[in-house]
Amino acid sequence: PYVIAQPCVDVKDKACVDECPVDCIYEGKRSLYINPNECVDCGACEPVCPTEAIFYEDDLPDEWAWYKDAAVSFFDEV
Ligand code: SF4
């Protein structure tokens, strides 16, 4: 799946939400989260993010790799 990383925090622009064909981007307290079980890897969200916060999971910068686990945890808790 695609993953939303640090640049989204306290921004939550939501341009990605309008692009996602399966509506799998959800709002958290300080960031948006992509549900990894629903994302179909279409990539539509990535180019529209004004803060370039979205990455394919394997392309996450090392320092933000943990956002992949953060998304899993977010949806485990809902
Ligand atoms: Fe939605 Fe496609 Fe982005 Fe996955 S890659 S979150 S399906 S827009």
Side-chain angles (χ1 to χ4, degrees):
Y2 278 68
V3 177
I4 298 175
Q6 199 277 331
C8 184
V9 175
D10 294 333
V11 178
K12 300 199 291 186
D13 177 84
K14 302 194 185 75
C16 57
V17 174
D18 293 334
E19 292 299 318
C20 182
V22 294
D23 293 334
C24 69
I25 306 176
Y26 298 82
E27 184 168 1
K29 203 168 182 182
R30 297 186 61 191
S31 181
L32 301 175
Y33 293 90
I34 293 170
N35 187 326
N37 298 314
E38 297 177 355
C39 175
V40 296
D41 288 347
C42 75
C45 54
E46 189 251 308
V48 302
C49 177
T51 63
E52 298 184 11
I54 308 178
F55 299 84
Y56 182 63
E57 59 180 329
D58 293 340
D59 297 330
L60 277 164
D62 286 345
E63 69 268 34
W64 294 338
W66 63 274
Y67 277 88
K68 187 177 161 183
D69 295 328
V72 171
S73 300
F74 179 77
F75 290 100
D76 277 350
E77 288 163 14
V78 182

